[in-house]
Amino acid sequence: MDVEALQKLIEQKFAPEPLLAVQGLANTHATTEDEELLPDPEGARRWLIQAGLIYADADLSATDHEELLELRQAVRDMLGGHHEGATVAAAVDTLRRLAAEHPVEFEVTDTGEVRLDLGPASSGGALIAQLVGIIGQAQGRDEWERLKICPDDSCSWAFYDSSKNRGGVWCSMGDCGNREKNRRYRERQKQALYLPDGHSAAIRAMPPPAR
């Protein structure tokens, strides 16, 4: 993988290698500010080559592209559940099916060490197998549940929570976290306008949330 290219996409709170590749895939989706990076097989192939995830001469069929988008959505759904420790059944089913269709490949070193083959993939199917293997490896390293989706609906960015207690919520407390605090402040202000019987009430002065 091209670590520099992936970090340029992700911008902050990077997952460790090779989980960085899964984080990068999760962040290729379209947002309110960013365009879809895997729009079609050829567009996806170009991005994957740039990210160092497939060889320059690798093919990416329409089926490969469809399955890659399925994997991305399953990953994003699973990461979204990491805040509450929830399991998304449909995402698990997709991951199970793709894992069965694209078995993970390993390499054996000269010293007999068995490890994931993390070189550029030769096809879309080989890449899916590699990414599934990376997810499995991350689950055994206490890394997988640290990869989360920012709950700000205007963001939904995949970020890595490196805090000791895995209690990180926002990709950026200065941006997304403050937006949420301000939203809650405005809601409290609205609720202070009326008493339970509907009569108007004086608004109690409340300081704005700290930035």
Side-chain angles (χ1 to χ4, degrees):
M1 72 183 70
D2 187 324
V3 174
E4 183 178 352
L6 287 169
Q7 289 184 342
K8 184 177 180 180
L9 163 71
I10 298 166
E11 297 181 350
Q12 61 181 340
K13 295 192 176 181
F14 309 122
E17 299 173 44
L19 186 58
L20 182 71
V22 177
Q23 184 184 15
L25 174 69
N27 283 330
T28 58
H29 74 302
T31 68
T32 55
E33 297 182 356
D34 299 300
E35 63 182 10
E36 169 66 56
L37 295 180
L38 309 178
D40 50 49
E42 183 55 31
R45 193 181 79 88
R46 286 196 299 268
W47 184 85
L48 294 171
I49 291 172
Q50 181 182 10
L53 297 179
I54 62 174
Y55 285 113
D57 61 352
D59 290 325
L60 193 76
S61 68
T63 298
D64 292 335
H65 178 247
E66 181 179 348
E67 290 184 336
L68 196 61
L69 295 184
E70 284 186 293
L71 177 60
R72 183 181 69 181
Q73 188 59 54
V75 165
R76 289 185 56 80
D77 289 345
M78 293 174 76
L79 301 189
H82 285 173
H83 290 286
E84 304 296 333
T87 299
V88 182
V92 173
D93 288 343
T94 297
L95 186 63
R96 181 181 293 117
R97 172 172 56 80
L98 293 174
E101 294 174 354
H102 306 284
V104 179
E105 295 184 5
F106 295 91
E107 62 179 357
V108 180
T109 68
D110 292 340
T111 60
E113 180 184 3
V114 179
R115 61 190 184 190
L116 284 174
D117 182 357
L118 296 175
S122 59
S123 67
L127 175 62
I128 290 172
Q130 184 184 88
L131 293 171
V132 170
I134 290 172
I135 292 171
Q137 184 182 79
Q139 290 172 344
R141 292 181 173 178
D142 188 36
E143 295 173 352
W144 177 240
E145 291 186 352
R146 292 181 177 276
L147 195 56
K148 302 175 179 180
I149 294 291
C150 180
D152 186 331
D153 291 337
S154 65
C155 176
S156 300
W157 203 245
F159 70 96
Y160 189 76
D161 176 11
S162 59
S163 64
K164 285 187 177 181
N165 65 351
R166 295 188 298 189
V169 176
W170 311 101
C171 71
S172 171
M173 190 61 208
D175 294 323
C176 298
N178 271 335
R179 274 198 296 271
E180 177 63 13
K181 287 201 297 183
N182 288 330
R183 183 191 66 78
R184 292 179 181 178
Y185 169 72
R186 289 192 297 270
E187 286 298 319
R188 290 197 300 269
Q189 290 287 64
K190 289 179 182 178
Q191 292 170 8
L193 285 171
Y194 300 98
L195 292 170
D197 62 2
H199 292 89
S200 297
I203 301 176
R204 183 174 58 187
M206 298 174 62
R211 291 183 177 273

